[in-house]
Amino acid sequence: MYEDRIRRPALMNKLMSAEKAALLFKDGMTVGMSGFTRAGDAKALPLALVERSRQSPLHLTLLTGASLGNDSDGLMANAGVVARRMPFQADAALRRKINSGEVMFIDQHLSETAEQLRSGDLKAIDIAVIEAVAITPDGGIIPTMSVGNTANFAQQADKVIVEINLSAPLALEGFHDIYVPGNRPHRGAIPLLTPWQRMGWTSIPVHPDRIAAIVITDSPDSPSNALPPDDETDAIARHVITFLEGEVKAGRMDPSLRPLQAGIGTIANAVLHGLIDSPFRNMTMYSEVLQDSAIELLDSGQLSMASASSITLSAAMHEKFIHNLEKYRERIVLRPQEISNHPEVVRRLGIIALNTALEYDIYGNVNSTHVGGTHMMNGIGGSGDFARNGQLSIFVSKSVAKDGAISSVVPFVAHVDHTEHDVDVVVSEWGLADLRGLAPRERAPLIIENCAHPDYRPQLRAYFEEAKQGGGQTPHVLEKALSWHARYKREGSMLVK
Ligand code: COA
């Protein structure tokens, strides 16, 4: 039994229940788990750790690739198992614990965690928990629907627990390209010159002696929770497509564009979906997550291939995907997030980075993470890796949130994730502002007139006019710069009555 999944017979004696494997954990440990935007996360150990914590307290520092599925983040947070969490999350219960100050959340560029672990800047991983399709005869771990940081966790951890997921098809073998850069300061360039290149192994090499437990599971990944496109996201997609058509006409790109990156969530997925009605052909993706829209574009033939660190799909698309793996095998590469998001590679390939903002200001600074300037939403994820280093950094957002009570275009963002220096284009359903080569005083009118909701334009114009009275490269009325956020808190709307 399981011979096709545990191909090193000597490891059969490591088979055990999740409850027994949970006894390997000690209070205060640093744990690295697989999982990236709900894909490829460990399914059994999070629940077993919650149970285990009922017997004796367990407060862990939990590192992952990105967010976990199956409510694992929330369940572990509510049980007090997660004391510290990095580098990303997207769970409502964990978010509450973070915002109440009970869980310390380190919101980090997703390319950086592995680098900091390797450099010893972070506490070393004690135990790695990795979901796998199978273990190869030499102990290599074949990941499932994501790679994330698992190669780095497995390399560093004292002990490795492998969750073999029987619901993950064996045909996933061969999708992964595991490449781990060497140590600084003498390492060479990452030898990746095209999005489709493979340069590593198809499994994560681990010395079999370090595999401390093997647990069998069979539940699938949680489906994506991105909502379907709507009129506003369709309009945003049309503005982005018209802009990119202009880039092609101007001779700055050919109709295959540059490799595309698209951020998580409803809006980025919907914009990418909109590319189905575009004239672009032979496009490639070099992204961190593939959502339904990427598979649709592969199916339509407009996308020739896609490279990412995880695949997060709706239930229907997941069904279709896993039953047609042979069709996608040559066209999808799954890499460690350190490589999918690496600044060196993103800069070299000239990525078009498409990410979502919660809000942006009249000069082009972007807040992707902090609601009202204080409360964590999800985290910066890979948006900074791509925005800072891509050829074109595009941020999209609907012009208003909460039925118009919040303007997504504000005088000054209440938290800055992406500075005006890293942002080339901002878009809403009303239009697009191309900020390249523009000074702050030139940016403001363009953003106000093209992107802000018409209800908020008079207020924004008035702010900018008043700010200019005080002079400066980037004019502001400091005492009013955050007054919109304060008004929303006080009166329930940013709109002046
Ligand atoms: N102030 C307060 N809340 C706001 C807001 C603002 N300016 N703008 C949007 N919101 C709220 C929405 O109302 C919605 O709330 P709800 O969940 O209660 O309905 C929520 O934020 C999500 O907004 P939505 O418009 O549905 O966008 P989305 O699903 O595309 O997510 C981000 C947008 C910014 C939260 C998401 O893209 C994210 O976490 N980004 C950071 C990480 C990242 O970019 N990674 C990219 C690399 S993969």
Side-chain angles (χ1 to χ4, degrees):
M1 216 179 153
Y2 312 128
E3 287 82 2
D4 54 346
R5 302 257 179 184
I6 304 171
R7 300 175 195 155
R8 189 180 177 92
L11 285 175
M12 285 292 186
N13 65 6
K14 298 287 170 67
L15 273 168
M16 65 180 78
S17 67
E19 292 65 36
K20 189 161 175 215
L23 298 175
L24 296 168
F25 292 76
K26 292 194 173 58
D27 194 27
M29 275 186 166
T30 300
V31 174
M33 282 192 187
S34 66
F36 194 110
T37 52
R38 304 160 82 85
D41 51 337
K43 310 291 189 297
L45 258 297
L47 298 179
L49 290 173
V50 168
E51 280 309 310
R52 159 74 222 279
S53 73
R54 294 191 216 283
Q55 275 105 57
S56 59
L58 202 54
H59 306 97
L60 305 175
T61 296
L62 177 63
L63 283 73
T64 56
S67 50
L68 301 178
N70 298 292
D71 300 328
S72 295
D73 259 326
L75 292 169
M76 288 191 284
N78 282 337
V81 171
V82 179
R84 303 178 69 77
R85 181 76 174 87
M86 66 190 293
F88 188 78
Q89 61 77 43
D91 181 280
L94 175 55
R95 190 179 294 143
R96 275 194 293 280
K97 293 278 180 191
I98 291 168
N99 287 322
S100 69
E102 291 164 85
V103 172
M104 294 295 111
F105 177 51
I106 298 91
D107 177 21
Q108 198 175 38
H109 295 302
L110 294 188
S111 70
E112 265 201 312
T113 315
E115 196 82 271
Q116 289 198 340
L117 281 170
R118 188 180 305 116
S119 308
D121 298 341
L122 297 173
K123 230 170 131 245
I125 302 288
D126 295 302
I127 299 184
V129 185
I130 299 176
E131 183 179 83
V133 168
I135 303 176
T136 65
D138 51 3
I141 299 173
I142 303 169
T144 55
M145 293 285 273
S146 69
V147 179
N149 280 320
T150 47
N152 310 80
F153 294 158
Q155 267 187 347
Q156 198 177 70
D158 280 347
K159 293 188 176 69
V160 178
I161 299 175
V162 184
E163 285 197 5
I164 301 271
N165 189 334
L166 302 179
S167 80
L170 280 165
L172 277 172
E173 184 170 3
F175 275 72
H176 314 93
D177 185 61
I178 310 295
Y179 175 89
V180 179
N183 291 341
R184 293 184 285 205
H186 298 301
R187 77 165 175 238
I190 296 171
L192 190 79
L193 303 180
T194 63
W196 51 88
Q197 209 172 316
R198 287 175 176 273
M199 53 188 182
W201 305 289
T202 53
S203 64
I204 299 167
V206 177
H207 194 286
D209 288 353
R210 291 183 30 249
I211 298 184
I214 301 174
V215 173
I216 304 293
T217 69
D218 65 0
S219 40
D221 288 340
S222 300
S224 143
N225 45 11
L227 299 171
D230 58 28
D231 289 349
E232 282 148 348
T233 58
D234 284 348
I236 292 173
R238 278 196 303 279
H239 296 311
V240 172
I241 291 165
T242 306
F243 168 76
L244 293 173
E245 283 174 343
E247 292 302 288
V248 174
K249 258 193 212 121
R252 285 189 281 273
M253 292 179 188
D254 64 40
S256 64
L257 304 178
R258 294 281 181 274
L260 296 168
Q261 175 262 338
I264 54 156
T266 298
I267 299 184
N269 183 50
V271 172
L272 209 61
H273 171 84
L275 286 175
I276 289 209
D277 297 321
S278 77
F280 310 122
R281 295 290 177 273
N282 294 320
M283 292 181 286
T284 57
M285 273 188 89
Y286 194 81
S287 198
E288 60 173 47
V289 182
L290 304 183
Q291 303 193 82
D292 283 19
S293 48
I295 307 298
E296 288 164 2
L297 286 169
L298 284 168
D299 288 349
S300 75
Q302 279 147 298
L303 202 58
S304 58
M305 66 78 55
S307 163
S309 194
S310 92
I311 306 176
T312 304
L313 304 174
S314 64
M317 187 61 89
H318 184 265
E319 260 318 281
K320 187 173 153 208
F321 178 73
I322 60 166
H323 290 109
N324 289 284
L325 286 174
E326 288 315 318
K327 190 170 117 189
Y328 299 110
R329 177 182 302 285
E330 296 306 318
R331 299 172 69 200
I332 291 180
V333 187
L334 288 177
R335 309 179 189 280
Q337 69 198 69
E338 180 175 19
I339 303 300
S340 65
N341 291 29
H342 204 290
E344 174 189 333
V345 180
V346 173
R347 180 64 65 99
R348 180 184 297 138
L349 297 181
I351 303 293
I352 298 175
L354 192 73
N355 291 290
T356 310
L358 284 174
E359 60 178 5
Y360 45 85
D361 66 30
I362 56 174
Y363 299 116
N365 298 293
V366 169
N367 173 10
S368 301
T369 57
H370 283 65
V371 173
T374 51
H375 281 55
M376 177 53 63
M377 183 72 174
N378 299 324
I380 193 166
S383 55
D385 291 324
F386 291 99
R388 173 82 183 90
N389 302 294
Q391 174 166 337
L392 265 179
S393 174
I394 304 174
F395 278 93
V396 296
S397 174
K398 294 184 182 181
S399 64
V400 290
K402 306 298 173 208
D403 296 324
I406 293 176
S407 172
S408 305
V409 185
V410 289
F412 203 169
V413 285
H415 174 91
V416 189
D417 291 297
H418 312 288
T419 74
E420 47 146 325
H421 312 283
D422 296 335
V423 179
D424 297 315
V425 175
V426 290
V427 195
S428 78
E429 72 277 20
W430 296 98
L432 177 146
D434 179 358
L435 308 175
R436 291 173 298 175
L438 299 186
R441 283 172 185 255
E442 297 170 303
R443 289 173 163 219
L446 204 63
I447 294 176
I448 296 169
E449 304 309 330
N450 291 9
C451 301
H453 190 285
D455 290 353
Y456 282 99
R457 284 181 202 167
Q459 267 175 248
L460 286 166
R461 288 182 198 126
Y463 177 85
F464 182 50
E465 287 309 315
E466 188 182 344
K468 280 193 291 185
Q469 306 302 313
Q473 157 79 0
T474 307
H476 271 300
V477 187
L478 290 181
E479 58 278 23
K480 291 189 180 168
L482 297 178
S483 63
W484 291 36
H485 302 83
R487 187 179 308 118
Y488 175 72
K489 236 176 156 177
R490 207 174 50 241
E491 299 170 13
S493 176
M494 286 184 174
L495 206 56
V496 175
K497 286 173 192 126

mmCIF file with all atom_site columns, all heavy atoms in Angstrom, residues 212-233:
data_model
loop_
_atom_site.group_PDB
_atom_site.id
_atom_site.type_symbol
_atom_site.label_atom_id
_atom_site.label_alt_id
_atom_site.label_comp_id
_atom_site.label_asym_id
_atom_site.label_entity_id
_atom_site.label_seq_id
_atom_site.pdbx_PDB_ins_code
_atom_site.Cartn_x
_atom_site.Cartn_y
_atom_site.Cartn_z
_atom_site.occupancy
_atom_site.B_iso_or_equiv
_atom_site.pdbx_formal_charge
_atom_site.auth_seq_id
_atom_site.auth_comp_id
_atom_site.auth_asym_id
_atom_site.auth_atom_id
_atom_site.pdbx_PDB_model_num
ATOM 1   N N   . ALA A 1 212 ? 10.843  12.788 9.605   1.00 0.00 ? 212 ALA A N   1
ATOM 2   C CA  . ALA A 1 212 ? 10.523  12.234 10.935  1.00 0.00 ? 212 ALA A CA  1
ATOM 3   C C   . ALA A 1 212 ? 9.169   11.565 10.958  1.00 0.00 ? 212 ALA A C   1
ATOM 4   O O   . ALA A 1 212 ? 8.909   10.715 11.819  1.00 0.00 ? 212 ALA A O   1
ATOM 5   C CB  . ALA A 1 212 ? 10.542  13.370 11.967  1.00 0.00 ? 212 ALA A CB  1
ATOM 6   N N   . ALA A 1 213 ? 8.288   11.946 10.060  1.00 0.00 ? 213 ALA A N   1
ATOM 7   C CA  . ALA A 1 213 ? 6.938   11.363 10.066  1.00 0.00 ? 213 ALA A CA  1
ATOM 8   C C   . ALA A 1 213 ? 6.318   11.515 8.683   1.00 0.00 ? 213 ALA A C   1
ATOM 9   O O   . ALA A 1 213 ? 6.608   12.472 7.962   1.00 0.00 ? 213 ALA A O   1
ATOM 10  C CB  . ALA A 1 213 ? 6.061   12.079 11.092  1.00 0.00 ? 213 ALA A CB  1
ATOM 11  N N   . ILE A 1 214 ? 5.481   10.528 8.352   1.00 0.00 ? 214 ILE A N   1
ATOM 12  C CA  . ILE A 1 214 ? 4.691   10.613 7.123   1.00 0.00 ? 214 ILE A CA  1
ATOM 13  C C   . ILE A 1 214 ? 3.239   10.393 7.516   1.00 0.00 ? 214 ILE A C   1
ATOM 14  O O   . ILE A 1 214 ? 2.910   9.407  8.190   1.00 0.00 ? 214 ILE A O   1
ATOM 15  C CB  . ILE A 1 214 ? 5.129   9.565  6.082   1.00 0.00 ? 214 ILE A CB  1
ATOM 16  C CG1 . ILE A 1 214 ? 6.609   9.768  5.724   1.00 0.00 ? 214 ILE A CG1 1
ATOM 17  C CG2 . ILE A 1 214 ? 4.256   9.649  4.836   1.00 0.00 ? 214 ILE A CG2 1
ATOM 18  C CD1 . ILE A 1 214 ? 7.172   8.695  4.802   1.00 0.00 ? 214 ILE A CD1 1
ATOM 19  N N   . VAL A 1 215 ? 2.399   11.341 7.120   1.00 0.00 ? 215 VAL A N   1
ATOM 20  C CA  . VAL A 1 215 ? 0.981   11.289 7.474   1.00 0.00 ? 215 VAL A CA  1
ATOM 21  C C   . VAL A 1 215 ? 0.188   11.219 6.169   1.00 0.00 ? 215 VAL A C   1
ATOM 22  O O   . VAL A 1 215 ? 0.513   11.920 5.210   1.00 0.00 ? 215 VAL A O   1
ATOM 23  C CB  . VAL A 1 215 ? 0.601   12.564 8.277   1.00 0.00 ? 215 VAL A CB  1
ATOM 24  C CG1 . VAL A 1 215 ? -0.892  12.631 8.525   1.00 0.00 ? 215 VAL A CG1 1
ATOM 25  C CG2 . VAL A 1 215 ? 1.371   12.613 9.590   1.00 0.00 ? 215 VAL A CG2 1
ATOM 26  N N   . ILE A 1 216 ? -0.819  10.372 6.137   1.00 0.00 ? 216 ILE A N   1
ATOM 27  C CA  . ILE A 1 216 ? -1.634  10.250 4.917   1.00 0.00 ? 216 ILE A CA  1
ATOM 28  C C   . ILE A 1 216 ? -2.901  11.107 5.055   1.00 0.00 ? 216 ILE A C   1
ATOM 29  O O   . ILE A 1 216 ? -3.594  11.038 6.080   1.00 0.00 ? 216 ILE A O   1
ATOM 30  C CB  . ILE A 1 216 ? -2.037  8.773  4.670   1.00 0.00 ? 216 ILE A CB  1
ATOM 31  C CG1 . ILE A 1 216 ? -0.787  7.875  4.612   1.00 0.00 ? 216 ILE A CG1 1
ATOM 32  C CG2 . ILE A 1 216 ? -2.873  8.640  3.397   1.00 0.00 ? 216 ILE A CG2 1
ATOM 33  C CD1 . ILE A 1 216 ? 0.130   8.100  3.428   1.00 0.00 ? 216 ILE A CD1 1
ATOM 34  N N   . THR A 1 217 ? -3.190  11.883 4.031   1.00 0.00 ? 217 THR A N   1
ATOM 35  C CA  . THR A 1 217 ? -4.432  12.685 4.009   1.00 0.00 ? 217 THR A CA  1
ATOM 36  C C   . THR A 1 217 ? -5.121  12.461 2.663   1.00 0.00 ? 217 THR A C   1
ATOM 37  O O   . THR A 1 217 ? -4.528  11.876 1.756   1.00 0.00 ? 217 THR A O   1
ATOM 38  C CB  . THR A 1 217 ? -4.147  14.198 4.155   1.00 0.00 ? 217 THR A CB  1
ATOM 39  O OG1 . THR A 1 217 ? -3.495  14.639 2.963   1.00 0.00 ? 217 THR A OG1 1
ATOM 40  C CG2 . THR A 1 217 ? -3.288  14.503 5.344   1.00 0.00 ? 217 THR A CG2 1
ATOM 41  N N   . ASP A 1 218 ? -6.347  12.977 2.553   1.00 0.00 ? 218 ASP A N   1
ATOM 42  C CA  . ASP A 1 218 ? -6.985  12.871 1.231   1.00 0.00 ? 218 ASP A CA  1
ATOM 43  C C   . ASP A 1 218 ? -7.970  13.998 0.954   1.00 0.00 ? 218 ASP A C   1
ATOM 44  O O   . ASP A 1 218 ? -8.848  13.859 0.118   1.00 0.00 ? 218 ASP A O   1
ATOM 45  C CB  . ASP A 1 218 ? -7.666  11.506 1.043   1.00 0.00 ? 218 ASP A CB  1
ATOM 46  C CG  . ASP A 1 218 ? -8.819  11.324 2.017   1.00 0.00 ? 218 ASP A CG  1
ATOM 47  O OD1 . ASP A 1 218 ? -9.063  12.255 2.819   1.00 0.00 ? 218 ASP A OD1 1
ATOM 48  O OD2 . ASP A 1 218 ? -9.475  10.274 1.969   1.00 0.00 ? 218 ASP A OD2 1
ATOM 49  N N   . SER A 1 219 ? -7.828  15.134 1.668   1.00 0.00 ? 219 SER A N   1
ATOM 50  C CA  . SER A 1 219 ? -8.789  16.213 1.360   1.00 0.00 ? 219 SER A CA  1
ATOM 51  C C   . SER A 1 219 ? -8.173  17.220 0.400   1.00 0.00 ? 219 SER A C   1
ATOM 52  O O   . SER A 1 219 ? -6.977  17.528 0.474   1.00 0.00 ? 219 SER A O   1
ATOM 53  C CB  . SER A 1 219 ? -9.289  16.891 2.630   1.00 0.00 ? 219 SER A CB  1
ATOM 54  O OG  . SER A 1 219 ? -8.253  17.055 3.529   1.00 0.00 ? 219 SER A OG  1
ATOM 55  N N   . PRO A 1 220 ? -9.000  17.747 -0.493  1.00 0.00 ? 220 PRO A N   1
ATOM 56  C CA  . PRO A 1 220 ? -8.490  18.667 -1.520  1.00 0.00 ? 220 PRO A CA  1
ATOM 57  C C   . PRO A 1 220 ? -8.216  20.063 -0.965  1.00 0.00 ? 220 PRO A C   1
ATOM 58  O O   . PRO A 1 220 ? -8.617  20.380 0.165   1.00 0.00 ? 220 PRO A O   1
ATOM 59  C CB  . PRO A 1 220 ? -9.640  18.719 -2.533  1.00 0.00 ? 220 PRO A CB  1
ATOM 60  C CG  . PRO A 1 220 ? -10.866 18.409 -1.742  1.00 0.00 ? 220 PRO A CG  1
ATOM 61  C CD  . PRO A 1 220 ? -10.438 17.501 -0.624  1.00 0.00 ? 220 PRO A CD  1
ATOM 62  N N   . ASP A 1 221 ? -7.551  20.883 -1.779  1.00 0.00 ? 221 ASP A N   1
ATOM 63  C CA  . ASP A 1 221 ? -7.347  22.289 -1.417  1.00 0.00 ? 221 ASP A CA  1
ATOM 64  C C   . ASP A 1 221 ? -8.698  22.987 -1.303  1.00 0.00 ? 221 ASP A C   1
ATOM 65  O O   . ASP A 1 221 ? -9.650  22.625 -1.988  1.00 0.00 ? 221 ASP A O   1
ATOM 66  C CB  . ASP A 1 221 ? -6.558  23.011 -2.522  1.00 0.00 ? 221 ASP A CB  1
ATOM 67  C CG  . ASP A 1 221 ? -5.097  22.595 -2.553  1.00 0.00 ? 221 ASP A CG  1
ATOM 68  O OD1 . ASP A 1 221 ? -4.597  22.075 -1.541  1.00 0.00 ? 221 ASP A OD1 1
ATOM 69  O OD2 . ASP A 1 221 ? -4.462  22.806 -3.603  1.00 0.00 ? 221 ASP A OD2 1
ATOM 70  N N   . SER A 1 222 ? -8.746  24.017 -0.472  1.00 0.00 ? 222 SER A N   1
ATOM 71  C CA  . SER A 1 222 ? -9.943  24.873 -0.443  1.00 0.00 ? 222 SER A CA  1
ATOM 72  C C   . SER A 1 222 ? -10.036 25.603 -1.771  1.00 0.00 ? 222 SER A C   1
ATOM 73  O O   . SER A 1 222 ? -9.018  26.079 -2.292  1.00 0.00 ? 222 SER A O   1
ATOM 74  C CB  . SER A 1 222 ? -9.813  25.932 0.646   1.00 0.00 ? 222 SER A CB  1
ATOM 75  O OG  . SER A 1 222 ? -9.674  25.331 1.885   1.00 0.00 ? 222 SER A OG  1
ATOM 76  N N   . PRO A 1 223 ? -11.257 25.722 -2.300  1.00 0.00 ? 223 PRO A N   1
ATOM 77  C CA  . PRO A 1 223 ? -11.374 26.460 -3.565  1.00 0.00 ? 223 PRO A CA  1
ATOM 78  C C   . PRO A 1 223 ? -11.091 27.947 -3.382  1.00 0.00 ? 223 PRO A C   1
ATOM 79  O O   . PRO A 1 223 ? -11.200 28.473 -2.277  1.00 0.00 ? 223 PRO A O   1
ATOM 80  C CB  . PRO A 1 223 ? -12.836 26.229 -3.967  1.00 0.00 ? 223 PRO A CB  1
ATOM 81  C CG  . PRO A 1 223 ? -13.535 25.760 -2.747  1.00 0.00 ? 223 PRO A CG  1
ATOM 82  C CD  . PRO A 1 223 ? -12.520 25.186 -1.813  1.00 0.00 ? 223 PRO A CD  1
ATOM 83  N N   . SER A 1 224 ? -10.735 28.583 -4.469  1.00 0.00 ? 224 SER A N   1
ATOM 84  C CA  . SER A 1 224 ? -10.498 30.033 -4.462  1.00 0.00 ? 224 SER A CA  1
ATOM 85  C C   . SER A 1 224 ? -11.783 30.744 -4.058  1.00 0.00 ? 224 SER A C   1
ATOM 86  O O   . SER A 1 224 ? -12.883 30.271 -4.356  1.00 0.00 ? 224 SER A O   1
ATOM 87  C CB  . SER A 1 224 ? -10.090 30.459 -5.870  1.00 0.00 ? 224 SER A CB  1
ATOM 88  O OG  . SER A 1 224 ? -10.630 31.705 -6.190  1.00 0.00 ? 224 SER A OG  1
ATOM 89  N N   . ASN A 1 225 ? -11.642 31.892 -3.375  1.00 0.00 ? 225 ASN A N   1
ATOM 90  C CA  . ASN A 1 225 ? -12.853 32.640 -3.019  1.00 0.00 ? 225 ASN A CA  1
ATOM 91  C C   . ASN A 1 225 ? -12.981 33.930 -3.824  1.00 0.00 ? 225 ASN A C   1
ATOM 92  O O   . ASN A 1 225 ? -13.686 34.847 -3.431  1.00 0.00 ? 225 ASN A O   1
ATOM 93  C CB  . ASN A 1 225 ? -12.920 32.901 -1.507  1.00 0.00 ? 225 ASN A CB  1
ATOM 94  C CG  . ASN A 1 225 ? -11.595 33.375 -0.967  1.00 0.00 ? 225 ASN A CG  1
ATOM 95  O OD1 . ASN A 1 225 ? -10.696 33.691 -1.757  1.00 0.00 ? 225 ASN A OD1 1
ATOM 96  N ND2 . ASN A 1 225 ? -11.449 33.437 0.340   1.00 0.00 ? 225 ASN A ND2 1
ATOM 97  N N   . ALA A 1 226 ? -12.271 33.995 -4.975  1.00 0.00 ? 226 ALA A N   1
ATOM 98  C CA  . ALA A 1 226 ? -12.403 35.193 -5.825  1.00 0.00 ? 226 ALA A CA  1
ATOM 99  C C   . ALA A 1 226 ? -13.812 35.229 -6.417  1.00 0.00 ? 226 ALA A C   1
ATOM 100 O O   . ALA A 1 226 ? -14.354 34.205 -6.826  1.00 0.00 ? 226 ALA A O   1
ATOM 101 C CB  . ALA A 1 226 ? -11.365 35.155 -6.944  1.00 0.00 ? 226 ALA A CB  1
ATOM 102 N N   . LEU A 1 227 ? -14.397 36.423 -6.442  1.00 0.00 ? 227 LEU A N   1
ATOM 103 C CA  . LEU A 1 227 ? -15.751 36.581 -6.980  1.00 0.00 ? 227 LEU A CA  1
ATOM 104 C C   . LEU A 1 227 ? -15.686 36.723 -8.500  1.00 0.00 ? 227 LEU A C   1
ATOM 105 O O   . LEU A 1 227 ? -14.654 37.108 -9.046  1.00 0.00 ? 227 LEU A O   1
ATOM 106 C CB  . LEU A 1 227 ? -16.401 37.837 -6.371  1.00 0.00 ? 227 LEU A CB  1
ATOM 107 C CG  . LEU A 1 227 ? -16.553 37.819 -4.842  1.00 0.00 ? 227 LEU A CG  1
ATOM 108 C CD1 . LEU A 1 227 ? -16.995 39.192 -4.335  1.00 0.00 ? 227 LEU A CD1 1
ATOM 109 C CD2 . LEU A 1 227 ? -17.542 36.740 -4.424  1.00 0.00 ? 227 LEU A CD2 1
ATOM 110 N N   . PRO A 1 228 ? -16.784 36.418 -9.195  1.00 0.00 ? 228 PRO A N   1
ATOM 111 C CA  . PRO A 1 228 ? -16.758 36.562 -10.661 1.00 0.00 ? 228 PRO A CA  1
ATOM 112 C C   . PRO A 1 228 ? -16.657 38.029 -11.085 1.00 0.00 ? 228 PRO A C   1
ATOM 113 O O   . PRO A 1 228 ? -16.962 38.929 -10.289 1.00 0.00 ? 228 PRO A O   1
ATOM 114 C CB  . PRO A 1 228 ? -18.110 35.969 -11.091 1.00 0.00 ? 228 PRO A CB  1
ATOM 115 C CG  . PRO A 1 228 ? -18.931 35.861 -9.873  1.00 0.00 ? 228 PRO A CG  1
ATOM 116 C CD  . PRO A 1 228 ? -18.054 35.909 -8.680  1.00 0.00 ? 228 PRO A CD  1
ATOM 117 N N   . PRO A 1 229 ? -16.241 38.274 -12.341 1.00 0.00 ? 229 PRO A N   1
ATOM 118 C CA  . PRO A 1 229 ? -16.142 39.657 -12.826 1.00 0.00 ? 229 PRO A CA  1
ATOM 119 C C   . PRO A 1 229 ? -17.493 40.368 -12.756 1.00 0.00 ? 229 PRO A C   1
ATOM 120 O O   . PRO A 1 229 ? -18.535 39.722 -12.786 1.00 0.00 ? 229 PRO A O   1
ATOM 121 C CB  . PRO A 1 229 ? -15.723 39.477 -14.295 1.00 0.00 ? 229 PRO A CB  1
ATOM 122 C CG  . PRO A 1 229 ? -15.166 38.108 -14.394 1.00 0.00 ? 229 PRO A CG  1
ATOM 123 C CD  . PRO A 1 229 ? -15.835 37.289 -13.345 1.00 0.00 ? 229 PRO A CD  1
ATOM 124 N N   . ASP A 1 230 ? -17.479 41.695 -12.622 1.00 0.00 ? 230 ASP A N   1
ATOM 125 C CA  . ASP A 1 230 ? -18.712 42.481 -12.668 1.00 0.00 ? 230 ASP A CA  1
ATOM 126 C C   . ASP A 1 230 ? -18.483 43.674 -13.608 1.00 0.00 ? 230 ASP A C   1
ATOM 127 O O   . ASP A 1 230 ? -17.428 43.777 -14.237 1.00 0.00 ? 230 ASP A O   1
ATOM 128 C CB  . ASP A 1 230 ? -19.133 42.930 -11.258 1.00 0.00 ? 230 ASP A CB  1
ATOM 129 C CG  . ASP A 1 230 ? -18.044 43.749 -10.560 1.00 0.00 ? 230 ASP A CG  1
ATOM 130 O OD1 . ASP A 1 230 ? -17.246 44.410 -11.265 1.00 0.00 ? 230 ASP A OD1 1
ATOM 131 O OD2 . ASP A 1 230 ? -17.980 43.730 -9.320  1.00 0.00 ? 230 ASP A OD2 1
ATOM 132 N N   . ASP A 1 231 ? -19.464 44.560 -13.706 1.00 0.00 ? 231 ASP A N   1
ATOM 133 C CA  . ASP A 1 231 ? -19.362 45.675 -14.667 1.00 0.00 ? 231 ASP A CA  1
ATOM 134 C C   . ASP A 1 231 ? -18.108 46.514 -14.412 1.00 0.00 ? 231 ASP A C   1
ATOM 135 O O   . ASP A 1 231 ? -17.436 46.957 -15.341 1.00 0.00 ? 231 ASP A O   1
ATOM 136 C CB  . ASP A 1 231 ? -20.589 46.584 -14.559 1.00 0.00 ? 231 ASP A CB  1
ATOM 137 C CG  . ASP A 1 231 ? -21.818 45.888 -15.120 1.00 0.00 ? 231 ASP A CG  1
ATOM 138 O OD1 . ASP A 1 231 ? -21.662 44.822 -15.762 1.00 0.00 ? 231 ASP A OD1 1
ATOM 139 O OD2 . ASP A 1 231 ? -22.938 46.400 -14.888 1.00 0.00 ? 231 ASP A OD2 1
ATOM 140 N N   . GLU A 1 232 ? -17.824 46.736 -13.124 1.00 0.00 ? 232 GLU A N   1
ATOM 141 C CA  . GLU A 1 232 ? -16.683 47.614 -12.817 1.00 0.00 ? 232 GLU A CA  1
ATOM 142 C C   . GLU A 1 232 ? -15.347 46.937 -13.147 1.00 0.00 ? 232 GLU A C   1
ATOM 143 O O   . GLU A 1 232 ? -14.456 47.575 -13.717 1.00 0.00 ? 232 GLU A O   1
ATOM 144 C CB  . GLU A 1 232 ? -16.727 48.028 -11.342 1.00 0.00 ? 232 GLU A CB  1
ATOM 145 C CG  . GLU A 1 232 ? -17.745 49.132 -11.117 1.00 0.00 ? 232 GLU A CG  1
ATOM 146 C CD  . GLU A 1 232 ? -18.398 49.070 -9.770  1.00 0.00 ? 232 GLU A CD  1
ATOM 147 O OE1 . GLU A 1 232 ? -18.243 48.047 -9.065  1.00 0.00 ? 232 GLU A OE1 1
ATOM 148 O OE2 . GLU A 1 232 ? -19.085 50.032 -9.411  1.00 0.00 ? 232 GLU A OE2 1
ATOM 149 N N   . THR A 1 233 ? -15.238 45.654 -12.802 1.00 0.00 ? 233 THR A N   1
ATOM 150 C CA  . THR A 1 233 ? -13.960 44.988 -13.121 1.00 0.00 ? 233 THR A CA  1
ATOM 151 C C   . THR A 1 233 ? -13.821 44.838 -14.640 1.00 0.00 ? 233 THR A C   1
ATOM 152 O O   . THR A 1 233 ? -12.721 44.909 -15.176 1.00 0.00 ? 233 THR A O   1
ATOM 153 C CB  . THR A 1 233 ? -13.824 43.620 -12.414 1.00 0.00 ? 233 THR A CB  1
ATOM 154 O OG1 . THR A 1 233 ? -14.913 42.788 -12.804 1.00 0.00 ? 233 THR A OG1 1
ATOM 155 C CG2 . THR A 1 233 ? -13.792 43.757 -10.912 1.00 0.00 ? 233 THR A CG2 1
#
